[in-house]
Amino acid sequence: MYQISIVQHSMNTSEVSRWCLDFPRQGQACTVDSLSDGLVFQGWVLVKDGAEAVPYLKLNGEKHYLPLNCQRADVITKVLGESADGHAQLTCGFRHTFALKQDSGVFGFEVGGTDFDAASYRIEGSLRILEGDEGWLYLDNDTNESVEQYQGNLLLDKNALKEWKSYLSAFTSLALEQNIRHTLLIAPSKEMVLPEFYPHEKGRTSPVEQVAGLSKPEHKLVYPVSQMRAMQEQPFRKCDTHWSPKGALVGFKAALEALGLDMEAVDRVFESDVYQESVRGGDLGNKLYPPRRAPEWLLTKVRYQKWVVYDNHLPNLGRVIVFLNEGALLNTKCVIFGSSSSYSFFNYAARIFSTLIFVHSAGSIDAGLLEIEKPEYVLAQTNGRFVVRAPVVTYDLEAEMDAKLDLLSDTQLKDLRKKHQAACSLPDGCLNFDIPSVFSCLLTTKV
């Protein structure tokens, strides 16, 4: 979904006495299909006696005239306060439809052979996008203020640093108490790995670097910026905030190394993987109009969905996905408390651990779930731009699922019930904590 942003200009001409652009309107919602079918430009113009003003649109350097083709009796009576019958400027309106192929343009009037730009419009997505060098796209006005973080204008204060120290210590202690190998993987932001394309200069430090500076060896914190910068392949998707499949593999392997796995054995699992070039959009490219796409290398012949035995289908926080793969490298259980970047390494993780439980919590830990499930490994994962708020080890998955369901519309709940009823049944003994039953009970309470 997009919306129209309009900025009006001052016109230095006395020949045009009044004008109005009825459509498009400021904030008008539109979709890719509606813009491709055509955006309506409708309005009117009144001129002084003897003058002539022809509306135009300037699109991608080309000028398109919008001839006056509509009688506007409402303008004559309401604006001029005169009778519309036989009025000389009765046909003062225009209505034309243009299929747009770019995200901006200029509206104005040609008067006596001279152009007077009256307004400019831009088609914007829900997020503003920064375009760097060579077409690389970055996040702009996100709620985490990633630009301010990168420039060093938004840093963690004493309380925030204290919360991070508490989280790192508590997570480590919890893992030791339950005899679980653990690690915290912070997925670097795109601009930290590819600063050469970013349109802003980096500050002396940033919140994620503050957090990395707090960590001790026993915390097992992994922040694989150097590994990703050293990649010969593309570490991030050009039109997306997330890392590429190969970038995700580098980050995931860094976490596996921190967990103490045999990395030679890990490498053998992935040594036959095949990648194929494909042109794709992304969460940034899709916010532009027209949507932006770019080539990227995708893993082929491996789809983690074949190992999914349960998915509650909640959007983002509170989502739970369970994978079973008897042919995995290790006959062990791993719980991932992750974020959106974790999805990018599911194709790899599902081949390492025979039982994999993913909880979308952005690194926060449900200690009770770990105590019940008793996994051999736990991987907490969050994104670099999220570190302005420290995760917690008091996360309550059941409460999160309940709260998320309260935010869904009736239509969304109906769709979710259908998906959940069609979910695959879990094999006996797969989960100690019966998440499907708990989630079903929560669903039945929502009317």
Side-chain angles (χ1 to χ4, degrees), residues 53-336:
V54 181
Y56 62 72
L57 276 179
K58 291 178 179 177
L59 304 174
N60 199 28
E62 295 185 6
K63 184 177 176 182
H64 304 269
Y65 290 105
L66 310 177
L68 301 180
N69 60 356
C70 298
Q71 293 186 349
R72 294 295 298 266
D74 59 323
V75 174
I76 304 302
T77 57
K78 294 179 181 179
V79 178
L80 296 180
E82 301 174 9
S83 172
D85 293 340
H87 198 283
Q89 295 197 65
L90 179 59
T91 307
C92 63
F94 58 89
R95 182 182 173 89
H96 300 274
T97 302
F98 282 87
L100 301 181
K101 297 181 180 180
Q102 56 282 317
D103 64 354
S104 61
V106 174
F107 168 78
F109 301 97
E110 182 181 300
V111 181
T114 302
D115 289 353
F116 295 93
D117 295 342
S120 58
Y121 74 87
R122 179 170 292 278
I123 301 167
E124 298 178 342
S126 56
L127 294 173
R128 289 199 302 269
I129 308 301
L130 281 174
E131 182 161 359
D133 293 342
E134 299 183 21
W136 282 87
L137 302 182
Y138 297 84
L139 197 58
D140 191 357
N141 66 326
D142 58 301
T143 56
N144 297 295
E145 299 184 74
S146 56
V147 173
E148 295 297 310
Q149 290 190 49
Y150 184 79
Q151 293 177 318
N153 299 325
L154 175 62
L155 296 174
L156 302 182
D157 59 20
K158 290 182 179 179
N159 288 334
L161 291 170
K162 183 179 179 180
E163 290 173 354
W164 266 104
K165 286 181 180 178
S166 176
Y167 168 77
L168 292 170
S169 297
F171 184 24
T172 301
S173 297
L174 181 67
L176 289 173
E177 290 169 6
Q178 299 191 21
N179 195 28
I180 305 173
R181 294 190 185 185
H182 79 290
T183 187
L184 168 63
L185 170 62
I186 300 180
S189 297
K190 195 174 186 177
E191 57 271 20
M192 299 298 286
V193 178
L194 298 169
E196 61 269 30
F197 303 117
Y198 197 56
H200 294 290
E201 283 193 23
K202 187 181 178 304
R204 179 177 296 181
T205 190
S206 64
V208 70
E209 290 168 323
Q210 287 180 286
V211 172
L214 293 176
S215 68
K216 300 177 181 178
E218 62 267 26
H219 294 150
K220 303 293 184 181
L221 187 149
V222 175
Y223 181 54
V225 169
S226 59
Q227 296 95 314
M228 296 186 72
R229 286 179 180 168
M231 290 177 60
Q232 294 182 346
E233 302 89 349
Q234 192 168 287
F236 274 84
R237 301 177 61 194
K238 202 167 188 176
C239 298
D240 200 283
T241 56
H242 298 95
W243 41 22
S244 66
K246 289 191 176 183
L249 176 58
V250 168
F252 179 61
K253 285 173 60 178
L256 295 183
E257 187 171 8
L259 289 172
L261 270 65
D262 179 348
M263 296 311 295
E264 290 186 1
V266 169
D267 286 336
R268 286 195 293 270
V269 173
F270 307 131
E271 64 183 1
S272 299
D273 284 353
V274 177
Y275 295 82
Q276 184 174 5
E277 189 176 42
S278 178
V279 177
R280 295 295 177 96
D283 60 3
L284 298 176
N286 291 337
K287 297 295 188 298
L288 296 175
Y289 186 82
R292 188 78 59 84
R293 307 173 77 200
E296 55 186 83
W297 289 91
L298 302 180
L299 179 65
T300 64
K301 301 179 181 180
V302 178
R303 296 183 73 252
Y304 70 81
Q305 289 85 351
K306 67 182 285 189
W307 297 299
V308 172
V309 293
Y310 176 74
D311 185 348
N312 70 1
H313 295 285
L314 273 179
N316 298 321
L317 292 175
R319 188 172 185 180
V320 178
I321 307 175
V322 181
F323 309 77
L324 288 183
N325 179 11
E326 295 180 354
L329 175 66
L330 302 176
N331 184 28
T332 55
K333 182 185 294 184
C334 176
V335 177
I336 298 176

Side-chain angles (χ1 to χ4, degrees), residues 387-422:
V387 301
V388 288
R389 288 172 292 277
V392 297
V393 295
T394 56
Y395 183 76
D396 187 333
L397 173 60
E398 184 173 349
E400 180 75 76
M401 293 189 297
D402 190 37
K404 179 57 71 69
L405 289 173
D406 285 337
L407 297 176
L408 301 182
S409 66
D410 291 343
T411 301
Q412 290 174 315
L413 284 170
K414 184 179 180 180
D415 182 57
L416 197 60
R417 288 190 184 99
K418 287 182 179 178
K419 289 180 178 178
H420 203 253
Q421 290 171 355

Side-chain angles (χ1 to χ4, degrees), residues 10-17 19 48 53 109 111-112 114-116:
S10 58
M11 288 197 308
N12 187 23
T13 174
S14 60
E15 303 299 315
V16 175
S17 58
W19 67 273
K48 291 190 174 181
F109 301 97
V111 181
T114 302
D115 289 353
F116 295 93

